[in-house]
């Protein structure tokens, strides 16, 4: 993927970062009617409670890269040590599994407007949301990006990722008890916590709200802004270029997500194939729609470099 890195008079402040504004992808219902049958599943929108290890399949369930489940080498057993912090989409907890220390990122059930999607068109439609979930919801975004790095042998471009976890009921209760003083909320986002409705909107086949989803990662040290020296900066720029060449964009480059000199967060990443970057997913798109998609893809690529610049300036 060739990336044009230059200034643009259309730059504005968006989401706290210097970014080019994305075009409004106001596609008619035809887009959904063609796209949805390719990716929608027969089950709940979110991963359902597994009845056995056979249910722990690579996720997400759509075309493209996928992340394998974490290998517990037996029953799920997690020791919750310390609460690290939270972001827009998730809580991060220091845990011990099989004698090793990890960072466990546990995802909220966020509002659909927090997705990389055409949220205005979803209108709480389960079939529509289920289709876009696999490509655009933060947990799916991160699974796809880490899956791409692993399948291409480029895991060194980010912190080590060891697979996903569906927290069972016993461990969810243990976590909530361990951090009872924090009153952890897994509904909505950090700015507007929910009251449980987001998680319970799409129940599983047995009528239960879905399990909390997590990703197990390397536990390391977050970079302080003043410690971001020139060699690290050059490395991060090279890594950004390589990520885009691998089809991973909209990286949300910032000091807060650099752990041990590596990128750690892909919850907003777009990984090809994706409904925004790949018009071939819908052969009935008009030339105008395809042009809008190409412009959106270009601006997201450019935004990665603008955010990199902002990280340096700050």
């Amino acid at each position: 993927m060739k990336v044009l890195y230059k200034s643009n008079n259309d730059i504005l402040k968006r989401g706290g970062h210097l970014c080019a504004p994305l075009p409004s992808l106001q596609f008619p219902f035809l887009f959904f009617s063609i796209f949805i049958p390719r990716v929608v599943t027969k089950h709940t929108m979110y991963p359902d409670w597994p009845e056995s290890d056979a249910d722990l399949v690579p996720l997400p369930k759509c075309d493209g890269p996928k992340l394998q489940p974490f290998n517990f080498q037996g029953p799920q057993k997690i020791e919750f040590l310390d609460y690290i912090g939270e972001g827009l989409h998730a809580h991060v907890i220091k845990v011990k599994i099989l004698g090793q220390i990890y960072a466990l990122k546990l995802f909220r059930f966020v509002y659909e407007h927090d997705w990389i999607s055409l949220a205005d068109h979803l209108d709480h439609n389960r079939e529509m949301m289920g289709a876009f979930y696999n490509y655009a919801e933060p947990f799916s975004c991160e699974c796809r990006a880490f899956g791409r790095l692993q399948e291409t042998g480029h895991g060194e471009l980010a912190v080590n990722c060891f697979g996903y976890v569906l927290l069972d009921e016993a461990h969810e209760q243990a976590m909530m008890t361990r951090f009872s003083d924090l009153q952890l909320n897994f509904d909505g986002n950090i700015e507007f916590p929910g009251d449980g409705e987001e998680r319970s909107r799409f129940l599983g086949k047995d009528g239960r709200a879905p399990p909390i989803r997590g990703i197990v990662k390397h536990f390391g040290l977050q970079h302080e802004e003043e410690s971001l020296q020139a060699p690290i900066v050059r490395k991060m720029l090279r890594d950004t270029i390589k990520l885009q060449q691998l089809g991973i964009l909209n990286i949300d480059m910032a000091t807060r997500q650099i752990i041990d000199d590596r990128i750690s967060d892909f919850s907003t990443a777009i990984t090809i194939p994706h409904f925004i970057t790949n018009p071939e997913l819908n052969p009935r798109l008009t030339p105008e729609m395809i042009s809008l998609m190409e412009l959106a893809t270009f601006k997201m690529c450019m935004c990665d470099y603008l955010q990199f610049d902002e990280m340096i300036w700050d």
Side-chain angles (χ1 to χ4, degrees), residues 7-52:
S7 61
N8 189 306
N9 292 330
D10 201 23
I11 293 172
L12 54 74
K13 203 79 168 170
R14 183 173 66 86
H17 298 284
L18 286 169
C19 278
L22 299 182
S24 178
L25 302 181
Q26 300 295 326
F27 295 166
F29 187 79
L30 172 64
F31 180 88
F32 300 102
S33 64
I34 299 299
F35 179 73
I36 287 173
R38 294 178 57 91
V39 299
V40 71
T41 68
K42 297 180 180 179
H43 305 298
T44 177
M45 181 174 74
Y46 299 108
D48 210 345
W49 296 93
E51 297 178 358
S52 69

Side-chain angles (χ1 to χ4, degrees), residues 47 53-71 103-107 133-134 137-152 155 158-166 213-218 248 264-267 271:
D53 288 346
D55 293 329
L56 295 173
V57 298
L59 294 177
K61 297 179 181 179
C62 65
D63 293 340
K66 300 170 177 58
L67 187 63
Q68 298 286 337
F70 182 87
N71 183 8
L104 176 60
K105 182 175 182 179
L106 295 172
F107 288 79
Y133 166 86
N134 290 312
E137 197 269 349
F139 171 74
S140 295
C141 288
E142 193 142 295
C143 285
R144 299 186 84 234
F146 278 115
R148 172 58 49 78
L149 294 179
Q150 291 176 0
E151 72 181 11
T152 58
V159 297
N160 289 337
C161 175
F162 302 93
Y164 76 84
V165 168
L166 302 180
R213 306 146 300 154
I215 293 181
V216 182
K217 305 179 188 179
H218 164 77
I248 303 172
S264 65
D265 184 353
F266 289 110
S267 60
T271 303

Side-chain angles (χ1 to χ4, degrees), residues 97-246:
I97 306 174
L98 298 173
Q100 299 294 318
I101 301 298
Y102 298 101
L104 176 60
K105 182 175 182 179
L106 295 172
F107 288 79
R108 293 182 171 93
F109 296 87
V110 297
Y111 306 111
E112 57 265 29
H113 62 254
D114 290 321
W115 300 12
I116 305 297
S117 69
L118 311 179
D120 292 341
H121 295 276
L122 299 181
D123 194 28
H124 307 296
N125 181 290
R126 177 173 180 148
E127 186 177 34
M128 286 186 180
M129 293 181 69
F132 285 98
Y133 166 86
N134 290 312
Y135 287 83
E137 197 269 349
F139 171 74
S140 295
C141 288
E142 193 142 295
C143 285
R144 299 186 84 234
F146 278 115
R148 172 58 49 78
L149 294 179
Q150 291 176 0
E151 72 181 11
T152 58
H154 287 282
E156 79 283 354
L157 296 179
V159 297
N160 289 337
C161 175
F162 302 93
Y164 76 84
V165 168
L166 302 180
L167 211 60
D168 64 28
E169 290 178 307
H171 281 88
E172 179 177 347
Q173 183 58 49
M175 173 191 64
M176 299 303 282
T177 300
R178 171 68 178 82
F179 304 111
S180 58
D181 58 317
L182 299 177
Q183 298 182 333
L184 300 182
N185 191 323
F186 286 88
D187 218 54
N189 60 41
I190 189 174
E191 297 172 343
F192 301 100
D195 56 9
E197 292 185 0
E198 294 303 311
R199 184 178 182 182
S200 60
R201 280 173 62 192
F202 302 100
L203 303 178
K205 55 181 177 289
D206 63 357
R208 288 188 293 171
I212 294 175
R213 306 146 300 154
I215 293 181
V216 182
K217 305 179 188 179
H218 164 77
F219 177 79
L221 299 177
Q222 185 177 31
H223 258 292
E224 300 294 335
E225 291 187 8
E226 57 270 17
S227 68
L228 204 61
Q229 302 299 320
I232 298 173
V233 170
R234 287 193 288 268
K235 175 186 180 300
M236 300 310 300
L237 178 58
R238 292 194 299 269
D239 289 350
T240 300
I241 295 171
K242 291 177 182 177
L243 287 168
Q244 290 196 351
Q245 290 172 337
L246 292 171

